[in-house]
Structures are given as structure tokens and as C-alpha cells.
Amino acid sequence: MADDPFFFFCSKDSFLIKAPKKSPLALRMVVLVFAMVCGVYICSICLKQIGIRTNPGFLSVEVITRPCPEPNIEPWEIPYVHYPKPITYSRVECKCNPVRYFAILSMQRSGSGWFETLLNNHTNISSNGEIFSVKVRRSNVSTITETLDKIYNLDWLSSASKNECAAAVGLKWMLNQGVMQHHEEIVEYFKTRGVSAIFLFRRNLLCRMISILANSYDREVKPLNGTHKSHVHSPREAEILAKYKPLINTTLLISNLKQVEDTTAKALEYFKSTRHIILYYEDVVKNHTKLLDVQDFLKVPQRELKSRQVKIHKGSLSNYVENWDEVQKSLKGTHYENFLTGDYRK
């Protein structure tokens, strides 16, 4: 049987079965679909990472604003240099101009109104006036800080505002307008926000007292055509207001002078940790280099500063007090005696 040719043929060839060949087109289609799915997935990941958002019909790309260049200043100055971004307008080309913050801390009738007009005569300085004379703005710490934030963000608009190109911005703030009451919080605010203090006082407190009494009389009587004016701009107006001679209460004179001295000392003690400069009205009047010192303190270009205000009282104090002899007797032999020899001369 083994020799049978038919058997041999069947045993070798009849059981050999060849596997059919796969179609090359189907394989290519599978590879192509896989590649397309991978490509779409990779593209979606890349778009998310570079921050591109697609909207129907538009491609929106987020633009990153370049920061302002670092100013060429000393390291200690950095906390006092600011780049405010007002809400009410745009600083446009001045957005990279640094701004310094300041506050004039003073007392009524100490020359602060005149001093502020000098500062506002500078192209780059904006001092916004006695803002906290309005009681609601100083009713508590929150209203005070909200008001200060608005001022230093350049959103407080007044006749003194230089707006977008201001290099120094601030206000005039009397010590009895919340400064002493909330001194701890205000000092912390000044240090945190980089606010510099300009103290302005009078050396001769008797001159200040005469000015306060005369201003109170003007507020009640209004001799200038029924209008109260704390400051005047013509010699004629000054002459009219200077005619009034107040009667000083000599019983309370020394205690009142001492109270002002104590308040001044406390204010300087409270704010000693802040960046500040101390000025006296008499020094600014007699020595105009003091105004250059202030401009250097605020880091603005030096300019000749002028004011339109006219002094009301001029000459010897004895010309402006009704009971001058009694005042002399009260102050003789005290450390306030030197106030008697003071005058209003420029």
C-alpha cells in the first residue's frame, strides 16, 4: 500500500492548505484612521496649553501686556514708587511714569493752604485739598482708607488733578480730621502703601491763634460782600479782613498754646516710623530753598513755585490784637515770651 502512487500523493499534498493573503488596502485605511485620531488629540492639547480660545468664525488670542521698565532708583525708594491704574480713565502714554504718594499733615491756619497752592503750581504735583474736612469721609477707618485708595489710584478728580501725567499725588490733611484718632491704622496704611508725610507747622503759635480768631470772625460776619474767604487773592481783600482785631482770652492762653505744642509732639511721635519731612511755615516764607527740599523729597524736577494768595496780616502782632497789653503780661517770663516779638513780615 505504501507503494501505491495514489496513496503517496494524497498523504503529502492533499492536506497542505495555504492561508489566504490579507488585503493591503484595508491595512492602510486602519493606519490612516489611527494617525488622524492621534493628530486631532495632540492638536487639542496644544491649543489648550497656549491659551487660544476658538469662537464661531473667530480666533481669539490673549495679548500679554509688557510690564513697565524698572526705574533707575535706589533700592530703598522702591516701596515709594507706584504705577496706579485709574478706573475712570487711562493713563495712556504716561502709564509707565512712576508716581509718589504724599500727605500734607498740618493744623488749621498754619499756612497749609498757601503751601498747597505752591505745590500745585508744579506741573507734576497734584495735591487735592482738604478732603477730610467732610466728616463722612473720616467717620471710620474704612471710609478713610477707601477715600485714600481713590486719591492714590488717581481716581479723585479735582481742580488740582494733573490726571494721567502726575508724578506726585496727595492731599492736605489736618491733624484733627481723624489723623490723631486713627493714627495707628493710618501709619500702617502709609507704610504699606508707600505714602510719604509732609509735616507743616507754625513756630509762632500766637500768630496762629490770631489767625484762627480772625478767620472765625470772618466766617460769622462775612465782611467781603457776604462771602467767607479763608484765603484772599487781592491786597484790597486782605486789607478789609486785617481790620478786625480779636480779643484773646488770656486766662486760657498758655494752656491753649501748650495743647497745640503737645498735639504737634504726639503727631511727630506717632509718625516717626514713616518716611517724612518736617517744615515750618516761617522757614518756607523766609527761605525759598525749603521748596526745593520738598521737590527733592517728592522726587520731581525742581521748579520755581508761585502762589496767587495774598497775606492778610503784615507787620507787628501788636497791630492785630485788641488786648495786646494783657497778652504781653500773660506771656512775659514764660517760654512762650518769644512769640511776642514775632511778626507777619515775609
Side-chain angles (χ1 to χ4, degrees):
M1 187 174 178
D3 297 330
D4 191 311
F6 178 77
F7 175 80
F8 181 79
F9 177 81
C10 289
S11 63
K12 289 186 176 182
D13 296 334
S14 60
F15 297 102
L16 294 175
I17 301 175
K18 295 183 179 180
K21 294 183 179 179
K22 293 183 179 179
S23 172
L25 179 60
L27 182 59
R28 290 175 183 174
M29 288 298 295
V30 171
V31 173
L32 179 61
V33 170
F34 180 76
M36 290 176 63
V37 171
C38 291
V40 171
Y41 176 76
I42 293 172
C43 287
S44 65
I45 295 298
C46 292
L47 289 175
K48 289 180 181 179
Q49 289 181 344
I50 64 176
I52 300 179
R53 300 186 299 272
T54 57
N55 294 324
F58 296 96
L59 185 64
S60 177
V61 180
E62 185 177 350
V63 179
I64 301 175
T65 305
R66 294 184 62 184
C68 294
E70 290 293 330
N72 185 22
I73 58 176
E74 297 292 331
W76 67 265
E77 293 184 76
I78 294 176
Y80 304 99
V81 174
H82 312 279
Y83 298 92
K85 297 178 181 178
I87 299 174
T88 52
Y89 63 92
S90 172
R91 294 189 72 201
V92 205
E93 71 275 6
C94 296
K95 66 181 179 180
C96 285
N97 286 12
V99 179
R100 267 79 173 182
Y101 301 158
F102 69 88
I104 304 169
L105 302 182
S106 187
M107 294 180 174
Q108 284 83 356
R109 314 311 296 177
S110 296
S112 60
W114 169 73
F115 178 75
E116 188 177 45
T117 61
L118 290 169
L119 293 189
N120 281 325
N121 187 240
H122 196 291
T123 308
N124 304 116
I125 301 177
S126 292
S127 189
N128 291 281
E130 202 170 317
I131 291 174
F132 289 108
S133 62
V134 180
K135 291 183 179 180
V136 68
R137 295 172 186 159
R138 62 175 196 263
S139 57
N140 54 60
V141 174
S142 296
T143 57
I144 289 174
T145 56
E146 287 172 6
T147 302
L148 291 176
D149 285 344
K150 193 172 182 180
I151 294 168
Y152 294 131
N153 200 48
L154 303 185
D155 281 316
W156 191 277
L157 302 181
S158 70
S159 59
S161 300
K162 306 299 192 302
N163 293 334
E164 63 270 12
C165 291
V169 61
L171 72 156
K172 183 175 69 167
W173 200 351
M174 301 296 102
L175 297 183
N176 63 352
Q177 294 173 352
V179 175
M180 303 300 283
Q181 181 182 356
H182 304 290
H183 65 90
E184 291 182 356
E185 293 85 354
I186 294 171
V187 166
E188 185 60 30
Y189 182 95
F190 279 18
K191 293 167 69 174
T192 302
R193 293 297 307 273
V195 179
S196 300
I198 302 174
F199 285 101
L200 179 66
F201 300 118
R202 281 190 98 137
R203 293 189 184 278
N204 193 323
L205 301 182
L206 181 59
C207 288
R208 176 178 178 270
M209 179 177 290
I210 296 170
S211 183
I212 289 175
L213 294 172
N215 188 61
S216 297
Y217 172 81
D218 178 71
R219 185 182 291 108
E220 295 175 5
V221 179
K222 301 180 178 66
L224 294 176
N225 298 321
T227 303
H228 168 58
K229 291 188 175 182
S230 296
H231 309 97
V232 296
H233 297 90
S234 74
R236 176 58 181 163
E237 291 176 327
E239 183 182 351
I240 293 173
L241 295 184
K243 290 180 179 179
Y244 172 71
K245 293 184 178 183
L247 189 70
I248 294 178
N249 186 337
T250 55
T251 303
L252 301 175
L253 177 56
I254 291 180
S255 61
N256 288 340
L257 294 176
K258 186 177 187 308
Q259 184 180 13
V260 176
E261 275 188 334
D262 291 343
T263 301
T264 301
K266 285 181 181 179
L268 294 176
E269 178 65 22
Y270 290 157
F271 286 82
K272 67 180 181 180
S273 62
T274 66
R275 180 175 182 261
H276 63 272
I277 184 174
I278 302 172
L279 301 172
Y280 290 93
Y281 169 76
E282 292 86 349
D283 297 342
V284 178
V285 168
K286 296 175 182 177
N287 184 359
H288 286 283
T289 62
K290 292 295 181 182
L291 292 176
L292 299 179
D293 294 340
V294 175
Q295 293 176 70
D296 290 341
F297 179 74
L298 295 177
K299 303 299 180 182
V300 295
Q302 291 187 357
R303 300 283 187 271
E304 182 183 359
L305 305 180
K306 297 180 180 180
S307 173
R308 294 178 53 245
Q309 286 191 13
V310 177
K311 282 182 65 65
I312 296 173
H313 298 108
K314 298 179 181 179
S316 174
L317 295 184
S318 60
N319 298 328
Y320 300 104
V321 179
E322 185 68 31
N323 57 334
W324 179 249
D325 291 339
E326 294 179 25
V327 171
Q328 279 188 310
K329 182 186 290 188
S330 297
L331 299 184
K332 284 285 186 179
T334 71
H335 77 280
Y336 300 115
E337 184 176 355
N338 63 312
F339 292 166
L340 296 171
T341 57
D343 57 40
Y344 283 104
R345 289 178 298 175
K346 274 195 173 184

